[in-house]
Amino acid sequence: MERLHFHEELEQLKLTVLNMAALTQQAFENAVKAYINRDVDLAQKIIDGDQEVNKIELQVDHQSLRLLALEQPMARDLRMIIGNMKISNELERIADQAVNISERTIFLSQYSPLDEIPAMDSLIEISRQMLKKAVSSLRDMDATTAKEVRNMDDQADESTLQVLKSLIEHMVADASAIDKRRLKTRRSIQTIILSRCLERVGDLSTNIGEHVAFMVEGINIKHQKFKEEDPES
Amino acid sequence: MTDSVKFAIKDLNFFYGDYKALADIDLDLEQRQVSALIGPSGCGKSTFLRCLNRMNDLIPGSRVEGRILLDQQDIYAPSVDVVSLRRRVGMVFQKPNPFPKTIFDNVAYGLRVNGLKNRNELRRRVEWSLKQAALWDEIKDRLQQSALGLSGGQQQRLCIARALAVEPEVLLMDEPASALDPIATQKIEDLIHDLKKNFTIIIVTHNMQQAARVSDITAFFYMGSLIESGETETLFTRPKLKQTEDYITGRFG
């Protein structure tokens, strides 16, 4: 009673989501690169390319709904479909954050750069690592790696806070030069929004990790502290 | 063992001659719950079901080892009256098997065998049974017509009514909907939901979606062994054993 045809379709769904993950990760990496290098062309390419990810999300919804309706999946098959649907939603939102970052980059690149923001590098790095780890846990169906993603979230939150503090300091400095200050404020606000996008990528990567853990182990670990849910740790 | 356990099966082994069809089964079945037995053909689930009201006694050369306790009494003890056991533990089979009699006489059959002669009481019990089996409204005006004129789904519900008439405590169902169309199947499944308020139900089914829909507890059998049992929701979403997972997801080679 092997369900070969169904399992082939399920495998296809997984490949579609993995392809979506690769495109999303690439979009985010490029968004960060465009911000760092003040590369307006690259930023525009990311904005233009977002439709592809949106299209795949619709495709995943369609494939998943079809399998749920026609195949009555059970156990890990059911978890795979539910998990992939949720992950595709998170990926689409990450791709949207890449677009948002790119829009900030296009604005910021019109003006001279702000003074150095020390925590920004670590925020970029941590959000990149979180997404990378989430995608690799999805590719390998590895619950241990998946759970590690959310352990990095505090670090991302802390870096975001430090970025915010630095930018507020930027905004209140040079209070005498009104016109200059206005421009600096606008750049600072855009950079704050950008840092918020980076932090959101970390949050959404955490969600992906939680979905992967659910797919592999069947346990819902959302809204739980890491150490509490794992009795062996 | 708690008071809520209706059947306690302890180290049960069953043999057809030299062939061991069931091996070392330990399982508690709770009262007023639906327990589903699943597994591939030949896994022993129907043999197990038939052990619960000693239907296998009728098979020459069969032999039971271990104990099956119904309300803490061993049903294989020498003092047990098998007819009385089967009154407490009723059974419905895969294929509807009404007697070639009227609808009324089918349901009244067990009551008459048990010595009930009072017409009013018979009528009352027949009506009660047909209502329990969700059939009364459909056939109340043709109780004196032949049961063989009913549809397959109605015949199966008639057999359920016939089993319920003697007021059993447990109802064993061996693939009760496998010969029925989807609408009749739906009616049987709804009926099972209603019946579990008053009866303990144990159902064998090849249809895993049906087991998932109707049961509280599911037990997975394979090659005569009980592999895994537990809450239906858990077993169908997060089974403990790979063997169970492979079976319910269709990965059995």
Side-chain angles (χ1 to χ4, degrees):
Chain A
M1 60 160 255
E2 277 191 89
R3 302 175 71 187
L4 294 175
H5 180 68
F6 165 54
H7 289 131
E8 272 170 25
E9 283 201 59
L10 194 56
E11 206 52 42
Q12 189 53 51
L13 175 69
K14 285 185 208 167
L15 290 174
T16 307
V17 174
L18 277 176
N19 177 35
M20 186 182 180
L23 278 177
T24 304
Q25 195 179 3
Q26 188 63 52
F28 179 66
E29 289 286 338
N30 282 340
V32 167
K33 200 163 148 191
Y35 166 68
I36 293 169
N37 299 332
R38 301 166 66 79
D39 184 341
V40 176
D41 290 343
L42 183 57
Q44 189 57 50
K45 263 189 201 164
I46 294 156
I47 295 167
D48 297 340
D50 188 48
Q51 277 308 311
E52 184 58 25
V53 173
N54 292 347
K55 257 192 248 169
I56 301 178
E57 189 197 17
L58 293 176
Q59 199 184 328
V60 171
D61 283 353
H62 176 77
Q63 280 178 288
S64 306
L65 199 63
R66 196 180 161 281
L67 292 176
L68 286 172
L70 303 184
E71 301 287 353
Q72 289 94 46
M74 299 271 192
R76 79 177 128 143
D77 293 344
L78 179 62
R79 301 200 303 269
M80 285 303 147
I81 296 170
I82 301 282
N84 274 310
M85 267 181 100
K86 288 187 167 207
I87 287 170
S88 88
N89 186 241
E90 310 290 358
L91 289 169
E92 191 274 333
R93 289 158 78 190
I94 290 172
D96 283 348
Q97 297 300 332
V99 167
N100 214 336
I101 290 168
S102 303
E103 287 168 349
R104 303 311 119 208
T105 296
I106 289 171
F107 172 86
L108 290 167
S109 300
Q110 298 172 71
Y111 308 103
S112 58
L114 287 167
D115 297 340
E116 196 189 334
I117 312 157
M120 187 59 102
D121 288 349
S122 76
L123 177 57
I124 288 172
E125 191 50 31
I126 191 86
S127 53
R128 284 179 67 229
Q129 289 307 322
M130 287 174 82
L131 179 58
K132 202 172 157 192
K133 220 178 238 292
V135 171
S136 111
S137 75
L138 172 67
R139 186 192 56 225
D140 302 336
M141 280 289 124
D142 176 356
T144 308
T145 308
K147 288 180 196 169
E148 283 168 12
V149 181
R150 62 187 181 156
N151 282 359
M152 301 161 81
D153 197 38
D154 286 350
Q155 211 180 324
D157 291 348
E158 178 55 30
S159 297
T160 308
L161 189 66
Q162 292 307 321
V163 169
L164 184 64
K165 278 183 183 167
S166 302
L167 289 165
I168 288 171
E169 277 172 26
H170 274 297
M171 285 190 281
V172 297
D174 290 333
S176 56
I178 299 295
D179 287 345
K180 193 177 162 194
R181 184 170 61 113
R182 275 192 188 139
L183 184 55
K184 189 175 263 184
T185 303
R186 287 175 66 191
R187 280 182 292 163
S188 297
I189 288 173
Q190 292 291 329
T191 311
I192 288 170
I193 295 171
L194 191 146
S195 70
R196 176 78 186 129
C197 294
L198 293 166
E199 193 229 340
R200 283 297 294 152
V201 169
D203 291 341
L204 297 166
S205 303
T206 299
N207 293 351
I208 292 176
E210 289 169 348
H211 299 322
V212 170
F214 170 74
M215 288 155 86
V216 177
E217 296 180 339
I219 299 166
N220 195 334
I221 58 167
K222 281 194 281 189
H223 312 302
Q224 290 171 29
K225 287 286 177 201
F226 184 40
K227 281 178 184 151
E228 284 172 9
E229 61 74 31
D230 189 352
E232 288 177 12
S233 71
Chain B
M1 187 169 70
T2 62
D3 290 345
S4 63
V5 173
K6 191 70 187 172
F7 265 117
I9 293 92
K10 313 266 187 206
D11 201 17
L12 176 72
N13 290 276
F14 182 84
F15 300 83
Y16 292 111
D18 292 335
Y19 176 69
K20 196 176 197 176
L22 291 172
D24 308 323
I25 310 286
D26 278 290
L27 182 65
D28 284 350
L29 299 168
E30 302 273 326
Q31 64 178 337
R32 293 197 180 86
Q33 278 199 337
V34 180
S35 302
L37 313 179
I38 62 167
S41 296
C43 70
K45 56 192 188 299
S46 289
T47 298
F48 175 79
L49 191 78
R50 287 197 305 268
C51 285
L52 299 179
N53 67 349
R54 294 184 55 173
M55 289 294 276
N56 290 327
D57 288 13
L58 306 171
I59 300 169
S62 66
R63 180 162 56 91
V64 173
E65 285 175 3
R67 292 196 306 157
I68 297 180
L69 308 179
L70 173 62
D71 290 335
Q72 304 183 35
Q73 301 295 315
D74 190 345
I75 64 169
Y76 283 89
S79 59
V80 168
D81 170 19
V82 177
V83 174
S84 142
L85 169 71
R86 290 182 191 145
R87 194 164 58 230
R88 292 177 68 192
V89 185
M91 194 160 194
V92 176
F93 298 90
Q94 182 175 358
K95 218 173 146 199
N97 55 352
F99 302 140
K101 291 172 174 287
T102 66
I103 293 168
F104 185 94
D105 285 346
N106 261 276
V107 184
Y109 189 87
L111 299 168
R112 286 179 174 139
V113 167
N114 283 306
L116 182 63
K117 292 200 174 84
N118 182 305
R119 281 179 166 224
N120 285 337
E121 182 60 12
L122 266 176
R123 223 174 271 135
R124 193 190 67 76
R125 295 275 289 273
V126 167
E127 182 177 334
W128 176 85
S129 306
L130 289 166
K131 280 181 175 167
Q132 287 282 311
L135 190 57
W136 176 253
D137 289 342
E138 291 168 49
I139 50 88
K140 64 186 174 194
D141 299 325
R142 43 184 175 138
L143 293 175
Q144 294 310 322
Q145 292 179 16
S146 169
L148 301 178
L150 297 174
S151 71
Q154 287 173 327
Q155 286 187 7
Q156 190 63 310
R157 278 179 287 147
L158 180 70
C159 294
I160 292 171
R162 190 174 64 192
L164 296 178
V166 294
E167 297 185 57
E169 297 155 42
V170 182
L171 196 56
L172 307 179
M173 300 177 124
D174 194 353
E175 298 186 51
S178 63
L180 306 181
D181 69 34
I183 307 263
T185 299
Q186 183 60 53
K187 283 187 178 163
I188 298 284
E189 290 182 9
D190 282 344
L191 177 59
I192 291 170
H193 270 290
D194 293 338
L195 290 176
K196 78 169 179 182
K197 291 173 200 145
N198 300 315
F199 304 94
T200 301
I201 296 174
I202 302 157
I203 177 172
V204 162
T205 176
H206 270 298
N207 181 334
M208 276 183 289
Q209 277 74 30
Q210 182 171 71
R213 284 192 298 264
V214 303
S215 71
D216 303 293
I217 297 293
T218 298
F220 167 52
F221 285 75
Y222 184 58
M223 292 176 75
S225 295
L226 173 63
I227 305 297
E228 182 171 347
S229 66
E231 278 184 25
T232 296
E233 188 182 329
T234 309
L235 195 123
F236 281 108
T237 55
R238 187 160 45 96
K240 288 190 194 78
L241 301 177
K242 187 174 181 299
Q243 213 172 357
T244 314
E245 176 123 37
D246 284 351
Y247 178 68
I248 62 174
T249 59
R251 288 185 170 84
F252 247 50

